[in-house]
Amino acid sequence: MSYERQINSKGYTIINQVYNESEIDNLISLIENRTKNNPENATFRKSQDLFAIRQFHKEVPETLDFIFNQSLKGIIENTFGKGYFITKSIYFDKPEKSNWFVAYHQDLTISVDKRIEIDNFENWTVKQNQFAVQPPAAILEDNFTIRIHIDKTTKDNGALKVINNSHSKGILRIENLDFENEKETICEVEKGGIMIMKPLLFHASNKTTNNERRRVIHIEFSRQELPDGLEWSEKTILLN
């Protein structure tokens, strides 16, 4: 089954060996240098259970040449076509003894540059001076997310678990999902592999139980222009 068919039918796909050891080492080195040299950056979030860098591709732009290697660029173009750009990125580092977990949810918001009252754009929030809003379902349905795995990720260190094909149900309250009749999959990914998923896919992650670190670069993509002068606040067009 092709990646495109897997994503359409299940809401996700896993592709291993997208990055070699050297590419992963370069990514780790660039991230560590950035966090070491500027530990108090406003986009950094640090706690006992999680370290995160928001707007990652803007905070550590030198990683983009390694992230968008020929393998990943080919996967994106062959699976989704041309015209997509980055709309959001986050780096997650879940430490070895992390008790951090995330309950089942859909990714319903996008990051934008300002607040404008537009029909069907709702649930506005502001976090770290950045506006977020829930757009119409049609925008979310066309977008996709790539999660790049810096470490091997298993059920024991917080691999995502998903409800297969839940992305096809539209925007849905969690209590309206019939868990007894749904198929749950734990998405284990090798170091250097990726997971591609649709924003409306219900996903969650458990606490770490095996004392193994889990680092992931999460990047969201779209090809849609927003209405009435609204702009993606992290929009970055990738040049070949």
Side-chain angles (χ1 to χ4, degrees):
M1 185 184 293
S2 71
Y3 301 143
E4 182 181 10
R5 287 176 61 196
Q6 288 179 356
I7 294 165
N8 288 338
S9 63
K10 296 181 179 180
Y12 71 95
T13 193
I14 293 168
I15 310 170
N16 286 313
Q17 298 179 329
V18 175
Y19 300 94
N20 61 35
E21 198 74 32
S22 175
E23 289 169 322
I24 292 296
D25 288 345
N26 281 321
L27 286 172
I28 291 171
S29 177
L30 290 169
I31 293 166
E32 288 182 347
N33 286 342
R34 183 72 177 88
T35 54
K36 192 181 300 180
N37 294 332
N38 195 359
E40 303 303 320
N41 192 296
T43 63
F44 295 0
R45 172 188 170 190
K46 189 168 186 177
S47 70
Q48 179 179 339
D49 293 320
L50 176 72
F51 175 74
I53 303 175
R54 297 184 181 278
Q55 303 182 43
F56 173 77
H57 65 288
K58 292 192 170 186
E59 290 294 339
V60 200
E62 55 270 29
T63 59
L64 290 176
D65 285 342
F66 294 102
I67 290 172
F68 290 92
N69 62 8
Q70 289 303 313
S71 179
L72 187 70
K73 287 192 287 190
I75 289 167
I76 292 173
E77 186 168 329
N78 292 331
T79 305
F80 299 102
K82 297 183 177 181
Y84 282 89
F85 46 83
I86 297 173
T87 63
K88 184 177 183 178
S89 66
I90 309 172
Y91 167 74
F92 294 105
D93 180 353
K94 194 172 184 179
E96 293 88 335
K97 298 185 182 298
S98 175
N99 284 319
W100 183 63
F101 70 96
V102 179
Y104 266 113
H105 66 287
Q106 298 172 299
D107 290 338
L108 297 180
T109 62
I110 60 173
S111 297
V112 295
D113 62 336
K114 53 186 169 292
R115 177 167 181 160
I116 305 174
E117 295 305 322
I118 304 174
D119 288 346
N120 300 315
F121 282 73
E122 53 193 26
N123 299 327
W124 286 88
T125 59
V126 180
K127 186 179 291 185
Q128 294 177 319
N129 297 317
Q130 188 170 57
F131 292 98
V133 65
Q134 180 178 320
I139 290 178
L140 297 172
E141 287 167 351
D142 190 56
N143 292 357
F144 65 92
T145 297
I146 294 180
R147 293 169 59 86
I148 299 162
H149 288 253
I150 305 298
D151 303 293
K152 182 176 181 177
T153 304
T154 70
K155 61 182 177 59
D156 298 319
N157 70 336
L160 282 194
K161 52 185 182 180
V162 303
I163 302 298
N164 287 24
N165 197 39
S166 53
H167 70 299
S168 68
K169 302 176 187 295
I171 296 173
L172 192 67
R173 293 179 66 88
I174 187 68
E175 57 267 27
N176 294 330
L177 199 61
D178 182 8
F179 277 93
E180 290 188 7
N181 293 308
E182 299 289 351
K183 180 181 178 183
E184 180 183 81
T185 299
I186 296 176
C187 298
E188 297 187 322
V189 186
E190 295 294 325
K191 177 180 179 179
I194 66 172
M195 177 180 178
I196 306 176
M197 58 183 283
K198 301 296 286 182
L200 295 183
L201 182 73
F202 273 96
H203 57 285
S205 66
N206 291 335
K207 299 175 182 179
T208 297
T209 60
N210 65 353
N211 291 328
E212 291 186 3
R213 191 176 187 181
R214 189 197 77 178
R215 289 168 290 183
V216 174
I217 299 171
H218 168 115
I219 307 177
E220 299 178 12
F221 297 84
S222 183
R223 59 181 170 189
Q224 301 187 64
E225 296 301 323
L226 300 175
D228 298 343
L230 194 64
E231 297 286 351
W232 304 90
S233 60
E234 297 180 43
K235 181 176 180 178
T236 300
I237 298 171
L238 299 167
L239 301 176
N240 291 328

